[in-house]
């Protein structure tokens, strides 16, 4: 076991309080997290109050009925609220480092404080990676681990909310790999027109994908998470470039918008450099990458115990361990489009697009 020395620092309780605030503020997806059904990543901490290993989220769709007018009888003409549920399972996760007092004596840096900062960084990256993995997942299976059969079955059920490149016709009879192979390095980049197509898909999917209402100006927005190479192509689009001239000033107080984001036509595009590229899957062996067009309740984050630290002494107090831990789960919320909540699963709040991600020359 490798020992590292940590000098004295903040007390555990003080550090935990400060850490949790910084964890939330520094999280790349913090602006989209909230406890209401209006959040892209809906947070539920019910398990912090009671024992259990799963949390059930209620997935609520919009009403589509016409109601009644001019004194017509309302009783008997009510509309069923089209709601489903999603059961999210939590896990415990933790990481730690250990130090000894001699190395603390001879070290030129505050190793204890450095260890805590490294653990904080690890926890933030862990949360980020779990969000990305959840968006990429295929009915709960990590994309990289899913078989072609599983990907095809997912595409069959989600054909109304998946786009391959710039045209719906790139879908080859719901064959996932064949559809990816239709993505061209020139015509299937993410552009303003392709983004508008994703928005139309979100609005015509069955059921529709709900946008999130802004807390500032009561406008509605979709958030689009875009990998770096695809984001590069979007920024080069002339329509997008022209539209950004006044965006920073207009959106500076908008929680969903951060510096470096692109806002256009009710969509906020965020560059996420850690979204993985799918190597060689496109036409002529080009790389492609997923783009996640998100509305309300796209993901669920169930928390039984927030990230917190712990310390422990070993070897007659000569060694000190510093750990960080959480009990929670982040998953893409799905609903059964068949006869039950788990039959023929659809992604509740996400349109998944796949676009060219050709490396810089």
């Amino acid at each position: 076991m490798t020992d590292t020395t940590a000098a004295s620092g903040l007390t555990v309780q003080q550090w935990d309080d400060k850490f949790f605030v910084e964890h939330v503020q520094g999280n790349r997806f913090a602006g989209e997290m909230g406890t209401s059904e209006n959040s892209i990543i809906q947070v539920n901490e019910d398990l912090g109050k009671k024992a259990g290993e799963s949390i059930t989220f209620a997935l609520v769709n919009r009403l589509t009925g016409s109601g009644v007018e001019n004194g017509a009888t309302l009783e008997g003409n009510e509309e069923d609220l089209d709601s489903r549920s999603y059961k999210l399972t939590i896990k415990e996760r933790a990481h730690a480092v250990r130090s000894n007092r001699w190395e603390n004596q001879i070290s030129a840096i505050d190793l204890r404080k450095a260890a805590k900062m490294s653990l904080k960084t690890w926890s933030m990256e862990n949360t980020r990676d779990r969000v990305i993995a959840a968006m990429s997942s295929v009915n709960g299976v990590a994309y990289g681990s899913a078989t072609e059969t599983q990907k095809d079955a997912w595409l069959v059920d989600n054909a109304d909310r998946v786009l391959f490149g710039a045209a719906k016709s790139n879908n080859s009879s719901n064959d996932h790999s064949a559809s990816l192979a239709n993505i061209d390095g020139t015509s299937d980049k993410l552009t303003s027109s392709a983004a508008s197509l994703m928005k139309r898909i979100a609005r015509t999917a069955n059921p529709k994908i709900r946008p999130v209402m802004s807390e500032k100006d009561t406008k509605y927005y979709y958030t689009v998470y875009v990998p770096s190479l695809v984001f590069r192509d979007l920024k080069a689009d002339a329509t997008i470039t022209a539209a950004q001239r006044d965006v920073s000033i207009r959106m500076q107080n908008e929680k969903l918008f951060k510096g470096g984001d692109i806002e256009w036509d009710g969509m906020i595009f965020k560059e996420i450099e850690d979204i993985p590229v799918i190597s060689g899957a496109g036409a002529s062996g080009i790389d492609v990458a997923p783009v996640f067009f998100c509305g309300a309740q796209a993901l669920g984050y169930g928390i039984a115990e927030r990230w917190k630290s712990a310390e422990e002494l070993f070897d007659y107090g000569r060694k000190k361990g510093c750990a960080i831990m959480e009990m929670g789960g982040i998953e893409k919320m799905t609903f059964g489009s068949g006869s039950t909540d788990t039959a023929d699963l659809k992604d509740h709040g996400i349109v998944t697009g796949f676009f060219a991600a050709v490396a810089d020359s």
Side-chain angles (χ1 to χ4, degrees):
M1 179 180 297
T2 302
D3 293 334
T4 309
T5 299
S8 60
L10 301 173
T11 66
V12 172
Q13 184 174 357
Q14 290 172 329
W15 190 83
D16 279 346
D17 290 343
K18 181 180 179 182
F19 158 71
F20 187 74
V21 172
E22 291 178 347
H23 185 282
V24 172
Q25 291 175 343
N27 190 323
R28 188 65 181 83
F29 300 96
E32 295 82 72
M33 290 185 178
T35 57
S36 77
E37 295 167 355
N38 185 54
S39 303
I40 290 173
I41 304 174
Q42 186 179 1
V43 178
N44 186 318
E45 294 190 79
D46 285 352
L47 284 182
K49 306 171 186 176
K50 58 185 179 182
E53 65 175 4
S54 63
I55 294 176
T56 299
F57 288 80
L59 305 180
V60 181
N61 296 320
R62 59 190 293 272
L63 296 174
T64 59
S66 57
V68 300
E69 296 178 345
N70 299 333
T73 301
L74 183 58
E75 184 176 354
N77 290 304
E78 300 90 350
E79 181 179 353
D80 288 336
L81 185 62
D82 184 13
S83 61
R84 302 268 179 156
S85 64
Y86 180 78
K87 185 177 181 179
L88 185 151
T89 302
I90 67 167
K91 294 180 180 179
E92 183 199 23
R93 54 190 47 81
H95 200 15
V97 296
R98 188 187 290 198
S99 57
N100 69 63
R101 61 195 296 265
W102 172 246
E103 292 300 328
N104 175 62
Q105 174 66 30
I106 63 175
S107 174
I109 64 171
D110 189 339
L111 291 175
R112 181 187 179 196
K113 196 173 290 186
K116 285 191 170 184
M117 290 303 101
S118 294
L119 287 171
K120 182 181 80 169
T121 299
W122 176 85
S123 71
M124 293 173 66
E125 291 176 346
N126 180 268
T127 301
R128 175 204 66 201
D129 292 345
R130 287 154 58 204
V131 170
I132 294 172
M135 289 190 293
S136 305
S137 64
V138 177
N139 291 339
V141 180
Y143 184 88
S145 301
T147 65
E148 185 64 22
T149 298
Q150 290 172 320
K151 292 174 182 176
D152 289 348
W154 168 78
L155 182 54
V156 167
D157 293 332
N158 289 273
D160 65 336
R161 55 197 69 214
V162 177
L163 176 66
F164 295 92
K168 296 171 73 172
S169 59
N170 283 334
N171 183 332
S172 291
S173 302
N174 293 327
D175 183 313
H176 185 77
S177 60
S179 301
L180 288 178
N182 289 330
I183 298 175
D184 179 81
T186 302
S187 58
D188 290 312
K189 297 177 180 179
L190 179 59
T191 61
S192 57
S193 59
S196 292
L197 177 56
M198 293 184 77
K199 183 177 179 179
R200 291 194 297 275
I201 288 173
R203 289 182 164 182
T204 56
N206 184 25
K208 298 178 179 179
I209 293 175
R210 294 185 293 117
V212 171
M213 186 176 72
S214 166
E215 296 178 358
K216 175 179 176 288
D217 55 13
T218 68
K219 292 182 179 178
Y220 289 89
Y221 295 99
Y222 292 101
T223 296
V224 190
Y225 300 110
V226 186
S228 294
L229 292 173
V230 182
F231 197 81
R232 170 205 62 194
D233 295 334
L234 180 67
K235 289 200 303 183
D237 181 274
T239 300
I240 295 295
T241 301
Q244 300 313 298
R245 291 168 184 164
D246 68 333
V247 164
S248 295
I249 296 175
R250 178 166 49 82
M251 298 289 287
Q252 61 183 345
N253 295 319
E254 171 54 56
K255 178 183 177 183
L256 294 171
F257 185 87
K258 305 296 182 186
D261 293 348
I262 291 173
E263 187 273 332
W264 180 72
D265 192 25
M267 294 172 278
I268 297 175
F269 302 86
K270 296 179 177 289
E271 180 180 9
I272 307 294
E273 61 271 17
D274 300 286
I275 295 176
V277 167
I278 306 171
S279 179
S284 302
I286 68 163
D287 295 342
V288 300
V291 168
F292 303 108
F293 183 106
C294 296
Q297 294 185 292
L299 301 179
Y301 188 1
I303 301 175
E305 187 176 273
R306 295 178 175 183
W307 284 106
K308 69 175 185 179
S309 68
E311 295 180 347
E312 188 169 348
L313 295 176
F314 305 90
D315 192 20
Y316 297 93
R318 295 171 66 239
K319 298 178 181 180
K320 178 172 286 187
C322 180
I324 197 163
M325 59 196 75
E326 182 222 41
M327 288 186 189
I330 302 173
E331 297 178 10
K332 177 164 58 177
M333 292 205 274
T334 60
F335 63 93
S337 59
S339 57
T340 69
D341 274 3
T342 57
D344 304 326
L345 292 175
K346 283 180 178 279
D347 297 345
H348 180 71
I350 299 181
V351 173
T352 302
F354 296 93
F355 294 92
V358 179
D360 295 324
S361 58

